[in-house]
Amino acid sequence: IPTLMAGGKYVFMQDNAEAYYASDQWSGVKKYIQKALSSDMVFLSVSSYTDNLIRKFNKNAKINHVGLYVTDEFFYTNYVEPSKRKRIVLTIARSTYFKGFDIFVNAMRDLYARRKDFEIHIVNADNMRLGDLGFKYVEHQRLPWKELANLYASSYVFVYTSRLDSFGLPPVEAMACGTPVVMTRTEGSKEYGIHNYNSLIADIDDYKKIAEYVEYLLDNPSEADRLSYGALETAKRFRFSEFMKRFKSAIGIE
């Protein structure tokens, strides 16, 4: 709406707007989303999810698909094959329900009950009170890009258990560091997640399958390496330089 009021021609659309009205937590917000998405601006969309969201409210919308990018720091880490890394299972904890941290907790409880030959590391991005989760873990506060990249690159597997994403950048950040990903199948993740090529993908809320996939990789280091190679190839599409080519083309700057 501010872009429209300012007389803007383009609007960058990356949010998963459903999170704002799915539970009716903000009364009337859906009508404002509808108003904003019904404008005649050109929408610069990051994923098929945002394409479809725009069209849900505006069937005649003008959409230019630009995608997203991960910052360069994630491409500059020292690559080591996962099979040669410490057995660290990494996630990023977010406080909102849609980010699905509870799914990760349930998966790790399930796995930790069977074996303890791995470490769990949690980046506490929202500074939550984590407390006793039912397993041992190492907590990290929100990290600068370079430190986060090095943590990805030193981990054996990155786990991402979101319920709703317009894109979902953390899995691509991990892929850029050559780290295999176990994640849930959100609409946003379909933009880059390829099951059994760069990641292992479970249905949303299926914590047992998440635990099963992590265990499979722990038991099969060669498979972790194979996914790592696919992850590195996938991430190349999401360098900032590639994004800028698409972005400039979308707004008519060559």
Side-chain angles (χ1 to χ4, degrees), residues 63-76:
I63 301 173
N64 288 342
H65 197 92
V66 297
L68 267 181
Y69 68 92
V70 297
T71 60
D72 288 340
E73 283 86 347
F74 297 101
F75 292 95
Y76 297 152

Side-chain angles (χ1 to χ4, degrees), residues 118-131:
F118 62 100
E119 292 182 11
I120 299 170
H121 286 234
I122 300 172
V123 177
N124 191 354
D126 290 343
N127 196 28
M128 298 187 292
R129 184 177 180 135
L130 297 180

Side-chain angles (χ1 to χ4, degrees), residues 46 72 238:
V46 302
D72 288 340
F238 300 100

Side-chain angles (χ1 to χ4, degrees), residues 17 20-22 24-34:
Y20 298 114
Y21 64 78
D24 274 339
Q25 69 272 42
W26 291 353
S27 179
V29 72
K30 191 173 183 179
K31 71 178 182 180
Y32 290 105
I33 292 173
Q34 182 171 7

Side-chain angles (χ1 to χ4, degrees), residues 23 31 41-42 51 54 70 72 110 112 127 131 139 145 150 153-154 175 177 179 196 203 214 224 233 241 250 254:
S23 304
K31 71 178 182 180
M41 291 183 291
V42 177
D51 291 352
I54 294 163
V70 297
D72 288 340
D110 184 80
Y112 202 71
N127 196 28
E139 180 179 357
W145 290 132
N150 287 333
S154 63
M175 290 178 188
C177 300
T179 301
N196 211 30
D203 290 335
V214 173
E233 285 301 309
S241 57
E254 298 298 338

Side-chain angles (χ1 to χ4, degrees), residues 4-47:
L4 181 62
M5 293 173 64
K9 182 178 179 182
Y10 301 97
V11 59
F12 190 70
M13 182 65 187
Q14 65 172 333
D15 212 348
N16 51 7
E18 288 173 280
Y20 298 114
Y21 64 78
S23 304
D24 274 339
Q25 69 272 42
W26 291 353
S27 179
V29 72
K30 191 173 183 179
K31 71 178 182 180
Y32 290 105
I33 292 173
Q34 182 171 7
K35 182 178 180 180
L37 298 185
S38 295
S39 77
D40 60 356
M41 291 183 291
V42 177
F43 292 90
L44 306 178
S45 174
V46 302
S47 68

